[in-house]
Amino acid sequence: MTYEVELKFRLPDNQFVLVRLDELGAVAGASQIQVDQYLAHPVRDFATTDEALRIRSIGDGNRITYKGPVIDRATKTRLESELTFQSGPTAAEQFAQIWEHLGFRRVRVVRKTRQLYSLRWQDRDLEICLDQVDGLGAFLEIETLADEAEKTAAQQTILALARELQLSEPEQRSYLEMLLETDRS
Amino acid sequence: MTYEVELKFRLPDNQFVLVRLDELGAVAGASQIQVDQYLAHPVRDFATTDEALRIRSIGDGNRITYKGPVIDRATKTRLESELTFQSGPTAAEQFAQIWEHLGFRRVRVVRKTRQLYSLRWQDRDLEICLDQVDGLGAFLEIETLADEAEKTAAQQTILALARELQLSEPEQRSYLEMLLETDRS
């Protein structure tokens, strides 16, 4: 089993972090528009169990992602399982309808522009995402994948990098949670 | 919405039907081994609602299929929605595990060798499957796809072809249902 270990921070000002990432040797990767259709379980409250199920579309590419309950609140360590499926917007809509037939409901679409960076730091490959989320603003996510044995070490590395970037007060809520709170207020 | 209209018959002796299909101009297509992992819904009894959800693997190819409730018992007309997803046995197993995380259960694997035939008959494209099902024996399925407006005409064509093949007493149960009954007895 592979675990996604990640931390997310609100970025009031992107400049310092971008300069610091450059100094540390981060390499800019793709910039992409991600459209996520989140789904609700027919009888289980994902907000309570802290799970997530979503259809992500990046251009014509589609994937289905299940995120298991968070194991470690500090770094949002959780089981993540993702599969690509048939491409194109028609297939994405068709899959959403299959979930609806099974009693799942469409909760909300989260749309963001994501600029990817990769950074080899402290002997670990980190993926860094600068996200511009519709309706929420800018965030930085630091993420790495680790198996069971490496989980604690991965968490330490991410926490150390966050200090380097003078980032504190990690945002524990998902973009979906934040947007639902915004919708309600 | 596309509907699958189909009839299925047990074949005690394949020979007459194969000769008759040849006379009618049926064209033999691929022969493939299909491995279907059927899934049960966390709170809905698919046996009662007459729905089905399965992961089908043909070689390395994977697809997820949802079948809606049967609308017409005589021809098993129903909504069918199918999508391909990431190929390979590891992806098929990973998707089965995602369904399990969501509370679905693995019911049973149905394994069969399917010989496909295509037949243009009475101005309609028919797909005919000669199935050799592990644990059940040989069956012939006659199937066509039709939209809402063409459904009745499609049913009439299939029933007429069945008479040509001297097939009667269609088998209403799915292979899964038959196998589960066999398992229980």
Side-chain angles (χ1 to χ4, degrees):
Chain A
M1 282 300 192
T2 306
Y3 294 85
E4 171 191 318
V5 186
E6 75 174 36
L7 274 172
K8 180 169 65 205
F9 301 88
R10 186 178 283 276
L11 287 187
D13 169 24
N14 305 354
Q15 271 323 105
F16 169 77
V17 165
L18 286 177
V19 169
R20 196 75 192 93
L21 279 176
D22 189 54
E23 288 170 354
L24 292 171
V27 178
S31 173
Q32 50 191 216
I33 295 171
Q34 299 185 340
V35 182
D36 295 340
Q37 172 67 66
Y38 282 89
L39 298 160
H41 193 278
V43 293
R44 200 187 288 172
D45 180 10
F46 281 165
T48 306
T49 61
D50 213 3
E51 297 168 273
L53 180 67
R54 69 155 189 241
I55 295 169
R56 169 167 291 182
S57 302
I58 304 174
D60 262 359
N62 292 321
R63 55 189 75 174
I64 182 79
T65 309
Y66 167 78
K67 296 193 178 201
V70 167
I71 297 166
D72 181 330
R73 286 304 302 179
T75 56
K76 294 192 66 180
T77 307
R78 57 184 2 187
L79 171 66
E80 177 169 354
S81 186
E82 187 166 83
L83 289 166
T84 60
F85 68 93
Q86 202 169 311
S87 52
T90 306
E93 172 60 25
Q94 189 185 335
F95 206 5
Q97 287 180 11
I98 288 178
W99 289 105
E100 286 184 318
H101 283 300
L102 295 169
F104 289 72
R105 286 168 294 106
R106 301 183 205 220
V107 179
R108 198 192 200 286
V109 171
V110 177
R111 185 185 298 263
K112 64 176 172 291
T113 304
R114 167 165 285 186
Q115 169 65 56
L116 294 166
Y117 297 88
S118 58
L119 173 61
R120 179 84 187 164
W121 199 66
Q122 293 191 348
D123 289 329
R124 183 166 286 279
D125 289 316
L126 302 173
E127 184 177 273
I128 299 168
C129 304
L130 177 60
D131 290 339
Q132 192 71 40
V133 186
D134 281 17
L136 288 178
F139 292 82
L140 193 80
E141 276 195 1
I142 307 168
E143 186 177 319
T144 190
L145 297 177
D147 59 22
E148 184 68 44
E150 285 196 316
K151 236 166 45 187
T152 307
Q155 292 168 2
Q156 294 305 320
T157 304
I158 290 181
L159 290 165
L161 177 61
R163 284 191 297 271
E164 286 286 333
L165 299 174
Q166 299 188 0
L167 297 172
S168 53
E169 299 182 44
E171 173 59 65
Q172 298 288 358
R173 295 169 299 170
S174 67
Y175 295 139
L176 176 64
E177 287 169 324
M178 284 186 265
L179 282 168
L180 292 178
E181 287 177 28
T182 306
D183 292 345
R184 275 192 290 269
S185 67
Chain B
M1 282 301 191
T2 307
Y3 295 85
E4 171 192 318
V5 186
E6 76 175 35
L7 274 172
K8 180 169 64 205
F9 301 87
R10 186 177 283 276
L11 287 186
D13 169 24
N14 305 353
Q15 270 324 107
F16 169 77
V17 165
L18 287 177
V19 169
R20 196 76 191 93
L21 280 176
D22 189 54
E23 288 170 355
L24 292 171
V27 178
S31 173
Q32 48 191 217
I33 295 172
Q34 300 185 339
V35 182
D36 294 340
Q37 171 67 67
Y38 282 89
L39 297 159
H41 193 277
V43 293
R44 199 187 289 173
D45 180 10
F46 281 165
T48 305
T49 61
D50 214 2
E51 297 167 275
L53 180 67
R54 67 155 191 243
I55 295 169
R56 169 167 291 181
S57 302
I58 304 173
D60 262 359
N62 292 322
R63 55 189 74 175
I64 183 79
T65 310
Y66 168 78
K67 297 193 178 201
V70 167
I71 298 166
D72 181 332
R73 287 302 305 179
T75 56
K76 294 191 65 178
T77 307
R78 58 185 0 188
L79 171 65
E80 176 169 353
S81 187
E82 186 165 83
L83 289 166
T84 58
F85 68 93
Q86 202 169 311
S87 50
T90 306
E93 172 59 26
Q94 189 185 334
F95 206 4
Q97 286 180 13
I98 288 178
W99 289 105
E100 287 183 320
H101 283 301
L102 295 169
F104 289 71
R105 287 168 293 105
R106 302 183 204 220
V107 179
R108 199 191 199 286
V109 171
V110 178
R111 185 185 300 262
K112 63 177 172 292
T113 304
R114 168 165 284 185
Q115 169 65 56
L116 295 166
Y117 297 88
S118 58
L119 174 61
R120 179 84 188 165
W121 198 68
Q122 293 191 347
D123 289 330
R124 184 166 285 279
D125 289 316
L126 301 173
E127 184 177 274
I128 298 167
C129 304
L130 178 59
D131 290 339
Q132 193 70 41
V133 187
D134 282 16
L136 288 178
F139 293 83
L140 193 80
E141 276 195 0
I142 307 168
E143 186 177 319
T144 191
L145 298 177
D147 60 22
E148 185 69 43
E150 285 196 317
K151 236 167 47 187
T152 308
Q155 292 168 3
Q156 293 305 321
T157 304
I158 290 181
L159 289 165
L161 178 61
R163 284 191 297 270
E164 285 286 333
L165 298 174
Q166 300 188 0
L167 296 172
S168 53
E169 299 181 44
E171 174 58 64
Q172 298 286 359
R173 296 169 299 170
S174 67
Y175 295 138
L176 177 64
E177 287 170 324
M178 283 186 265
L179 282 167
L180 291 177
E181 287 178 26
T182 307
D183 292 344
R184 277 192 290 268
S185 67

